[in-house]
Amino acid sequence: GQSLEQPSEVTAVEGAIVQINCTYQTSGFYGLSWYQQHDGGAPTFLSYNALDGLEETGRFSSFLSRSDSYGYLLLQELQMKDSASYFCAVRSSGGSYIPTFGRGTSLIVHP
Amino acid sequence: NAGVTQTPKFRVLKTGQSMTLLCAQDMNHEYMYWYRQDPGMGLRLIHYSVGEGTTAKGEVPDGYNVSRLKKQNFLLGLESAAPSQTSVYFCASSLQGADGYTFGSGTRLTVV
């Protein structure tokens, strides 16, 4: 089977940098993705990593280390609107390439 | 573009009643999915479809049935609703092999 671990909650102040970690266990790893979900809203796709290294998209970056079965989402210059839940999801050949989602990290940004 | 549209947005059912949730996408995506989201549990896959006329079970399929008669529509049925099916249901779609999904706005279902 597949399993993912991410912190349940992270808090930070506006303008700061925050890192949300995700560790996974799976067979036939294919890629790690990240989604953002505001309260009452739908998840929206942020990023995808299939290879080791850092992918940058504006204020958000995502990192993957396949040897460590570990990834993280890095949010810079935090804004109040970044308060949301963030989910990592892993795709593997063992799961028919359908992503399995983690339980989510609630990010609370304080002024 | 409407993207992924789910109907209804809210519904209250009595135990034992049946209902169908409708998901429609206008992006010509091959793959479609139904997830349920419960507090602290993340998104769990109920059923999915990799093309018109095909469906497959996900992680939590019991108590649900699905149909994909047309490429753009994916229906989720509850034949006999139970309180344990109280949840928020999300439909999503993607291109074959795509990295990211497009989600609908969700259906909040309460079974009393």
Side-chain angles (χ1 to χ4, degrees), chain A residues 51-93:
Chain A
L51 302 176
D52 291 351
L54 192 68
E55 296 279 344
E56 298 181 63
T57 308
R59 294 187 297 113
F60 293 6
S61 303
S62 56
F63 172 83
L64 174 66
S65 169
R66 288 174 296 170
S67 60
D68 295 323
S69 297
Y70 163 76
Y72 65 72
L73 181 69
L74 190 73
L75 295 82
Q76 303 182 71
E77 301 172 15
L78 279 174
Q79 301 175 10
M80 297 296 291
K81 67 178 182 179
D82 297 329
S83 292
S85 291
Y86 293 84
F87 295 88
C88 59
V90 65
R91 293 177 70 189
S92 71
S93 57

Side-chain angles (χ1 to χ4, degrees), chain A residues 3 8 14 16 22 24 28 31-32 37 43 45 48 53 55 66-67 74 76 83 88:
Chain A
S3 67
S8 59
E14 206 172 7
C22 175
Y24 58 86
L32 185 73
Q37 185 181 29
F45 173 71
Y48 178 77
E55 296 279 344
R66 288 174 296 170
S67 60
L74 190 73
Q76 303 182 71
S83 292
C88 59

Side-chain angles (χ1 to χ4, degrees), chain B:
Chain B
N1 262 348
V4 178
T5 303
Q6 292 184 231
T7 52
K9 295 191 184 305
F10 303 92
R11 184 72 185 268
V12 178
L13 283 181
K14 293 183 178 179
T15 298
Q17 286 185 317
S18 64
M19 77 163 295
T20 300
L21 282 67
L22 172 63
C23 178
Q25 53 95 4
D26 62 1
M27 297 172 286
N28 203 33
H29 285 172
E30 295 93 349
Y31 285 35
M32 296 186 76
Y33 319 83
W34 276 106
Y35 286 88
R36 62 177 288 173
Q37 186 174 37
D38 303 293
M41 296 297 293
L43 291 153
R44 292 185 291 170
L45 183 66
I46 304 171
H47 286 280
Y48 65 98
S49 168
V50 300
E52 183 178 321
T54 71
T55 63
K57 294 180 180 179
E59 179 187 357
V60 288
D62 294 343
Y64 306 95
N65 57 76
V66 288
S67 64
R68 182 102 182 264
L69 299 180
K70 293 183 178 181
K71 185 177 184 179
Q72 63 267 37
N73 295 336
F74 194 29
L75 306 180
L76 177 71
L78 287 74
E79 290 187 348
S80 179
S84 60
Q85 294 177 303
T86 293
S87 187
V88 180
Y89 291 86
F90 285 101
C91 176
S93 70
S94 70
L95 290 169
Q96 181 180 358
D99 304 332
Y101 289 2
T102 301
F103 281 84
S105 59
T107 297
R108 290 186 177 275
L109 175 66
T110 302
V111 183
V112 296

Side-chain angles (χ1 to χ4, degrees), chain A residues 7-20:
Chain A
S8 59
E9 185 176 293
V10 173
T11 59
V13 296
E14 206 172 7
I17 300 173
V18 72
Q19 179 175 310
I20 299 174

